[in-house]
C-alpha cells in the first residue's frame, strides 16, 4: 500500500533525526578513542622520563657502593704495609664504618686470597663487627655465577649478575686488594641486597596512585619488586601456578616486546600482585635494558591508566550524558510526531485488516474444499485397504479350518464347529468382495525419519508367522539405511502385500522367497535420476522381493498388474495387492518395477535416501 504524502514527510523527518543521533554517537565514540589514545601516549612519555631517572639512579647507587668497597679495599691493603701497619682493632673500625654506613643494604664483607680461596669474613651486628666462619659466608659465593672469573684471574668486573637467596636478590661487589708493588694479593667481595637498595634509595611507595618500578633479568625472572614474594618468580609460568585462573595473555605480549626491543612503551592488561585477589587493570608500561657490571637487566615502570586519566574520562562521560539527554528529547519529539500520525496509521491498519480478512476467507474456503476431498479420498482408501487386508486375514482361517476338518473328519462334533468357522469366514470374504470399490490413495509426506533396515526386519519377523512351512524366506538387508518422509505402517503394508503375492504364486509346493535391501549402484542411480528434475539430485536404495513361482504369463503387460481389481488369480484374488503397493509408492515418490528376466518374479521398489 502506497504511503500518503504526509506519512512520507514524517518518515523523512524521523529518518533525519535518527541520522543526527547516529552521527553524534559516532562523534562521541571517536572522541573517546582519541582522548584514550592521547592519554596513553602522554602517560607513556611521562613513564619513560621517570624510567630514565630510576635507571640512572640505580646505576649511580650501585657504582657508589662499588666505589665505597674500592676505598675500603685500598685502606685495608695500605693498613697491611709495614710503614703503616694497623692493628686488628683499626681494621675492624674501617670495616665497621663501611658496613655500618648502609647496614640494611650490605652487612657482610668477604676476603679472598690471591687464588680466590676464602680467607676471612666479617658481619656487623648491633653496631659491632664479628668474624664469620666460612660456612656462613660460602652460600653468597656458591650462588654467585661470576665468582669463578676472580678465582681464574680473568678480567676484573665491578659486580656479578644477580642471584637469589631466601626470596631475596643479591649482586656481589668485587674489589681487588693491591699491594704497593701493584700485585693483587686478594679480593674483597661484598653482597649487595638489591631489594633494600631499591626501596631505600630509588622507590618509596608514597604516591596515591597504583604503579611501581621493577627489575627483571634476561630469563624474565623478577630481580626487584615491591612485593617480596614476587622476587625470583618467572613473570608468566610461576604466576600462572600461583593464580591458574588469571588471564596472562597480555603479559606474554609484554614479555615478547621486552625480549625483542632495547626499550619501549606499551599498554597491556595485568594485575596488581600486592593484592590478595588480583584484579585485572589496564596498565601503561615503559622499559629499558641496562648493563651494570655483569648484570643485564630490564628496568620496567608501570602505572594504572584509568587512575592517571580520571579527569578526561569523566569529561567524556559528561559528554555522553548530555548526548543521552538530547537523544531523550529527540525521542520524545518523535513520539509526539507519531501521535500526530496516529490517524493515518489507523487508516492503513484498517485497510490491512480488510485485505487480511479477504485472504483469510479465501484460505478458509480452500481449506474446506481440500478437507472435503481429503475425507472422501481417505474413506475410499480406508475401505479398500480394510477389505483387502480382511481377505488376507480370512485366507489362513479358511485354509487352516479346511485342514482341520480333513484331519479330524472322524470327529463329527468338532467338524461341525470347524465348518461353522469356515462358513463364517467364507461369508466374511464374500461380504468384503461385495464392498470392494476403487479409491485412489491420498498423497502426502511424513516428517519422520526411519531406519528402513530395522522396519524391514521387524515386519519380516511378524509376517513369517503366516509363512507356509513349505516356503523358505531368506533376507539380505544392509543396516543403517535411513529414509525420510514415510509412515512405517505404509512400508509394512507394501511388504505384506508383496510377500503375500509371492506366497500365493508359489502356492503349496516348496519354494523360496528372497528379500534384499541394498543401496543402488551408480548405474541404477543415474537411470533413476533421469526421471525428472526433482529426482536428479537424489540417491536411492533398492528393496527387492523375489520368488521362484511361475512368474507373469506371456503377453500380459506389467502395467495392467497395477490397475485396481485386476487379478490373475480368478476368484481367489481381489486385484488390490499391487494397486495398494503402487498407490503407496506414488504417495512417497517411490518407483515400483517388475523384473521377470529370471525364473519367477522380482518386484523392485526404489526408495530415495535421506538427504545429508
Amino acid at each position: 500500500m502506497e504511503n500518503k504524502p504526509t506519512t512520507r514527510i514524517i518518515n523523512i523527518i524521523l529518518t533525519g533525526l535518527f541520522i543526527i543521533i547516529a552521527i553524534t554517537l559516532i562523534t562521541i565514540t571517536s572522541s573517546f578513542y582519541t582522548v584514550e589514545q592521547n592519554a596513553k601516549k602522554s602517560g607513556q612519555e611521562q613513564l619513560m622520563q621517570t624510567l630514565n631517572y630510576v635507571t640512572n639512579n640505580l646505576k649511580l647507587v650501585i657504582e657508589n657502593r662499588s666505589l665505597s668497597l674500592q676505598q675500603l679495599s685500598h685502606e685495608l691493603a695500605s693498613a697491611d704495609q709495614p710503614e703503616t701497619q694497623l692493628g686488628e682493632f683499626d681494621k675492624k673500625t674501617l670495616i665497621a664504618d663501611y658496613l655500618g654506613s648502609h647496614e640494611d643494604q650490605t652487612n657482610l664483607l668477604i676476603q679472598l686470597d690471591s687464588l680466590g680461596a676464602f680467607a676471612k669474613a666479617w658481619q656487623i651486628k648491633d653496631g659491632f663487627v664479628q668474624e664469620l666462619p666460612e660456612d656462613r659466608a660460602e652460600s653468597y659465593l656458591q650462588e654467585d655465577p661470576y665468582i669463578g672469573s676472580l678465582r681464574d684471574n680473568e678480567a676484573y668486573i665491578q659486580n656479578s649478575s644477580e642471584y637469589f637467596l631466601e626470596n631475596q636478590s643479591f649482586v656481589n661487589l668485587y674489589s681487588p686488594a693491591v699491594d704497593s708493588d701493584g700485585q693483587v694479593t686478594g679480593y674483597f667481595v661484598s653482597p649487595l641486597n638489591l631489594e633494600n637498595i631499591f626501596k631505600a634509595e630509588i622507590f618509596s611507595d608514597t604516591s596515591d596512585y597504583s604503579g611501581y618500578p621493577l627489575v627483571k633479568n634476561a630469563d624474565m625472572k623478577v630481580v626487584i619488586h615491591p612485593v617480596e614474594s614476587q622476587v625470583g618468580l618467572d613473570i608468566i609460568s610461576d604466576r600462572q601456578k600461583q593464580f591458574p585462573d588469571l588471564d596472562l595473555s597480555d603479559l606474554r605480549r609484554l614479555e615478547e616486546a621486552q625480549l625483542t626491543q632495547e626499550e619501549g612503551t606499551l599498554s597491556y592488561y595485568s594485575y596488581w600482585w600486592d593484592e590478595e585477589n588480583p584484579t585485572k587493570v589496564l596498565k601503561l608500561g615503559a622499559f629499558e635494558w641496562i648493563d651494570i657490571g655483569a648484570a643485564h637487566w630490564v628496568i620496567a615502570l608501570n602505572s594504572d591508566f584509568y587512575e592517571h586519566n580520571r579527569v578526561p574520562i569523566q569529561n567524556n562521560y559528561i559528554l555522553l550524558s548530555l548526548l543521552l539527554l538530547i537523544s531523550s528529547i529527540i525521542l520524545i519529539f518523535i513520539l509526539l510526531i507519531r501521535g500526530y500520525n496516529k490517524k493515518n496509521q489507523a487508516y492503513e491498519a484498517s485497510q490491512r485488516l480488510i485485505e487480511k480478512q479477504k485472504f483469510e476467507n479465501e484460505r478458509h474456503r480452500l481449506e474446506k474444499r481440500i478437507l472435503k476431498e481429503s475425507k472422501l479420498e481417505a474413506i475410499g482408501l480406508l475401505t479398500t485397504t480394510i477389505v483387502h487386508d480382511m481377505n488376507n486375514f480370512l485366507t489362513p482361517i479358511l485354509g487352516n479350518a479346511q485342514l482341520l476338518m480333513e484331519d479330524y473328519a472322524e470327529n463329527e462334533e468338532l467338524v461341525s464347529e470347524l465348518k461353522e468357522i469356515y462358513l463364517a469366514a467364507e461369508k466374511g470374504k464374500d461380504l468384503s468382495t461385495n464392498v470392494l470399490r476403487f479409491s485412489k490413495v491420498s498423497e502426502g509426506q511424513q516428517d519422520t525419519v526411519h531406519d528402513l533396515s530395522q522396519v524391514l526386519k521387524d515386519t519380516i519377523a511378524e509376517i513369517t508367522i503366516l509363512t507356509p512351512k513349505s516356503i523358505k524366506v531368506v533376507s539380505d538387508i544392509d543396516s543403517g539405511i535411513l529414509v525420510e518422509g514415510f509412515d512405517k505402517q505404509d512400508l509394512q503394508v507394501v511388504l505384506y502385500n508383496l510377500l503375500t503375492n509371492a506366497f500365493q504364486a508359489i502356492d503349496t509346493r516348496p519354494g523360496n522367497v528372497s528379500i534384499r535391501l541394498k543401496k543402488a549402484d551408480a548405474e541404477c542411480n543415474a537411470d533413476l535420476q533421469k526421471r525428472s528434475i526433482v529426482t536428479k539430485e537424489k540417491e536411492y536404495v533398492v528393496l527387492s522381493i523375489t520368488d521362484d513361482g511361475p512368474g507373469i504369463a506371456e503377453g500380459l503387460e506389467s502395467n495392467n498388474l497395477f490397475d485396481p481389481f485386476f487379478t490373475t488369480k480368478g476368484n481367489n484374488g481381489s486385484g488390490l495387492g499391487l494397486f495398494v503397493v503402487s498407490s503407496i509408492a506414488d504417495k512417497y515418490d517411490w518407483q515400483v518395477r517388475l523384473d521377470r528376466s529370471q525364473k519367477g518374479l522380482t518386484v523392485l521398489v526404489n526408495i530415495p535416501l535421506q538427504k545429508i
Side-chain angles (χ1 to χ4, degrees):
M1 182 185 298
E2 187 177 356
N3 290 335
K4 293 184 176 181
T6 54
T7 304
R8 289 199 298 271
I9 293 173
I10 291 174
N11 289 337
I12 292 172
I13 294 173
L14 296 179
T15 303
L17 291 174
F18 278 117
I19 292 174
I20 292 173
I21 294 175
I23 292 174
T24 307
L25 284 173
I26 293 173
T27 303
I28 294 297
T29 303
S30 176
S31 174
F32 263 111
Y33 178 77
T34 303
V35 169
E36 183 175 346
Q37 294 303 310
N38 291 336
K40 286 181 180 179
K41 184 178 180 180
S42 175
Q44 289 168 350
E45 291 175 351
Q46 293 177 7
L47 282 177
M48 185 57 77
Q49 293 175 1
T50 307
L51 180 64
N52 291 333
Y53 163 77
V54 171
T55 301
N56 293 330
N57 198 12
L58 179 60
K59 289 180 178 179
L60 289 173
V61 170
I62 294 180
E63 288 176 2
N64 178 268
R65 301 294 179 271
S66 178
L67 291 173
S68 297
L69 179 62
Q70 292 176 23
Q71 177 66 27
L72 174 66
S73 174
H74 176 72
E75 291 176 351
L76 291 177
S78 299
D80 289 334
Q81 300 301 317
E83 63 274 12
T84 59
Q85 187 168 9
L86 300 178
E88 191 66 26
F89 176 79
D90 296 323
K91 290 182 180 180
K92 285 189 176 182
T93 301
L94 292 174
I95 295 172
D97 291 340
Y98 168 77
L99 295 177
S101 62
H102 301 287
E103 183 178 349
D104 58 331
Q105 301 169 19
T106 174
N107 66 347
L108 178 65
L109 180 66
I110 304 172
Q111 183 178 6
L112 307 178
D113 61 19
S114 59
L115 299 178
F118 177 84
K120 290 183 179 181
W122 299 272
Q123 185 181 37
I124 189 168
K125 186 175 182 181
D126 299 329
F128 297 97
V129 175
Q130 301 176 354
E131 287 194 21
L132 289 180
E134 181 179 358
D135 59 342
R136 294 279 302 276
E138 190 63 27
S139 60
Y140 292 92
L141 302 177
Q142 290 176 349
E143 297 296 331
D144 185 347
Y146 280 86
I147 195 67
S149 64
L150 296 179
R151 291 172 173 169
D152 297 337
N153 293 320
E154 295 181 4
Y156 162 72
I157 53 177
Q158 171 185 289
N159 57 270
S160 70
S161 63
E162 73 290 334
Y163 61 91
F164 302 97
L165 283 175
E166 297 179 353
N167 227 27
Q168 291 185 321
S169 57
F170 296 86
V171 293
N172 283 344
L173 299 178
Y174 305 136
S175 179
V178 182
D179 61 14
S180 59
D181 297 329
Q183 297 296 318
V184 175
T185 60
Y187 300 92
F188 288 97
V189 179
S190 179
L192 197 61
N193 189 310
L194 296 175
E195 280 285 299
N196 291 343
I197 283 181
F198 205 69
K199 291 178 181 178
E201 306 292 339
I202 299 172
F203 174 70
S204 58
D205 190 12
T206 58
S207 173
D208 292 332
Y209 293 108
S210 300
Y212 46 78
L214 70 156
V215 179
K216 292 175 285 188
N217 63 13
D219 296 327
M220 289 291 107
K221 286 189 175 182
V222 178
V223 177
I224 300 174
H225 197 285
V227 182
E228 290 188 7
S229 61
Q230 296 292 308
V231 174
L233 298 183
D234 182 276
I235 65 168
I236 302 296
S237 59
D238 290 336
R239 285 174 175 174
Q240 194 75 73
K241 292 176 183 177
Q242 282 186 329
F243 306 97
D245 297 330
L246 297 186
D247 177 17
L248 303 182
S249 56
D250 260 22
L251 276 184
R252 292 186 177 90
R253 183 169 62 87
L254 171 66
E255 181 183 82
E256 182 179 356
Q258 291 178 344
L259 289 173
T260 56
Q261 302 175 28
E262 287 298 319
E263 64 177 21
T265 59
L266 74 166
S267 60
Y268 61 99
Y269 283 97
S270 184
Y271 305 84
W272 297 124
W273 303 106
D274 53 353
E275 299 177 354
E276 183 177 354
N277 297 309
T279 54
K280 197 171 187 178
V281 294
L282 178 61
K283 292 183 179 181
L284 297 181
F287 63 90
E288 178 184 1
W289 285 93
I290 63 170
D291 292 310
I292 304 178
H296 183 58
W297 296 331
V298 58
I299 314 297
L301 185 64
N302 55 47
S303 66
D304 191 314
F305 170 74
Y306 290 107
E307 282 189 349
H308 286 278
N309 298 279
R310 186 176 292 111
V311 173
I313 291 175
Q314 285 178 346
N315 291 338
N316 275 288
Y317 278 122
I318 292 173
L319 289 176
L320 181 60
S321 300
L322 291 175
L323 173 63
L324 292 175
L325 178 60
I326 295 172
S327 300
S328 300
I329 295 173
I330 293 175
L331 288 175
I332 293 173
F333 180 68
I334 290 173
L335 293 175
L336 293 175
I337 294 177
R338 291 182 63 85
Y340 175 78
N341 198 35
K342 187 176 180 180
K343 186 175 182 180
N344 289 336
Q345 291 177 348
Y347 172 78
E348 293 173 357
S350 175
Q351 293 299 312
R352 287 196 297 269
L353 288 174
I354 292 172
E355 290 179 0
K356 184 178 179 181
Q357 186 62 39
K358 290 180 180 178
F359 172 79
E360 291 292 337
N361 291 338
E362 181 65 17
R363 188 177 70 175
H364 181 66
R365 185 181 65 80
L366 291 174
E367 287 177 349
K368 285 179 64 178
R369 188 178 72 181
I370 293 171
L371 181 60
K372 182 177 179 181
E373 292 176 356
S374 298
K375 285 182 178 179
L376 292 174
E377 187 172 306
I379 291 172
L381 175 62
L382 181 62
T383 303
T384 303
T385 304
I386 290 175
V387 171
H388 176 260
D389 290 342
M390 184 183 297
N391 283 337
N392 290 333
F393 299 146
L394 292 174
T395 298
I397 296 176
L398 289 169
N400 289 324
Q402 190 172 12
L403 290 174
L404 289 172
M405 285 190 292
E406 292 175 358
D407 291 339
Y408 296 96
E410 70 281 357
N411 191 338
E412 295 181 357
E413 184 178 354
L414 179 59
V415 169
S416 175
E417 293 175 354
L418 291 172
K419 191 171 183 179
E420 289 182 9
I421 295 174
Y422 180 85
L423 293 175
E426 194 171 38
K427 288 181 180 179
K429 189 174 183 180
D430 293 339
L431 178 62
S432 66
T433 302
N434 291 333
V435 298
L436 278 175
R437 61 185 178 84
F438 172 79
S439 177
K440 189 173 186 257
V441 179
S442 62
E443 296 181 355
Q445 292 291 326
Q446 303 292 327
D447 295 329
T448 55
V449 175
H450 294 293
D451 186 339
L452 183 60
S453 308
Q454 191 60 45
V455 175
L456 284 177
K457 290 177 183 178
D458 295 342
T459 305
I460 292 170
E462 294 174 0
I463 203 170
T464 49
I465 300 174
L466 303 177
T467 304
K469 295 180 180 180
S470 59
I471 298 176
K472 182 180 179 181
V473 179
V474 180
S475 61
D476 183 11
I477 299 173
D478 285 352
S479 61
I481 296 179
L482 302 180
V483 175
E484 64 180 350
F486 80 94
D487 189 331
K488 64 180 181 180
Q489 293 182 350
D490 285 343
L491 181 63
Q492 292 171 345
V493 171
V494 169
L495 188 62
Y496 185 90
N497 280 287
L498 294 179
L499 289 177
T500 300
N501 286 345
F503 296 161
Q504 291 176 352
I506 296 173
D507 204 2
T508 58
R509 60 187 177 80
N512 297 289
V513 175
S514 174
I515 305 171
R516 297 178 76 250
L517 180 67
K518 300 288 181 181
K519 289 185 177 180
D521 56 26
E523 182 179 356
C524 180
N525 267 328
D527 291 338
L528 292 171
Q529 289 170 354
K530 293 177 182 178
R531 291 173 57 202
S532 67
I533 297 177
V534 177
T535 61
K536 70 178 182 178
E537 299 292 337
K538 294 184 177 181
E539 301 290 333
Y540 287 81
V541 64
V542 180
L543 169 64
S544 61
I545 310 294
T546 303
D547 65 73
D548 55 1
I552 301 175
E554 293 292 334
L556 187 61
E557 293 293 333
S558 298
N559 291 338
N560 294 335
L561 298 176
F562 295 100
D563 292 337
F565 308 110
F566 181 86
T567 180
T568 59
K569 303 171 187 175
N571 294 330
N572 294 325
S574 64
L576 287 175
L578 288 179
F579 169 71
V580 171
V581 171
S582 65
S583 299
I584 293 176
D586 291 340
K587 174 180 178 181
Y588 298 114
D589 197 26
W590 298 348
Q591 185 189 44
V592 181
R593 294 190 299 110
L594 301 180
D595 183 8
R596 46 184 177 179
S597 60
Q598 299 178 355
K599 180 183 178 182
L601 177 66
T602 299
V603 182
L604 302 171
V605 183
N606 301 312
I607 303 173
L609 287 171
Q610 178 192 9
K611 293 181 180 178
I612 299 177

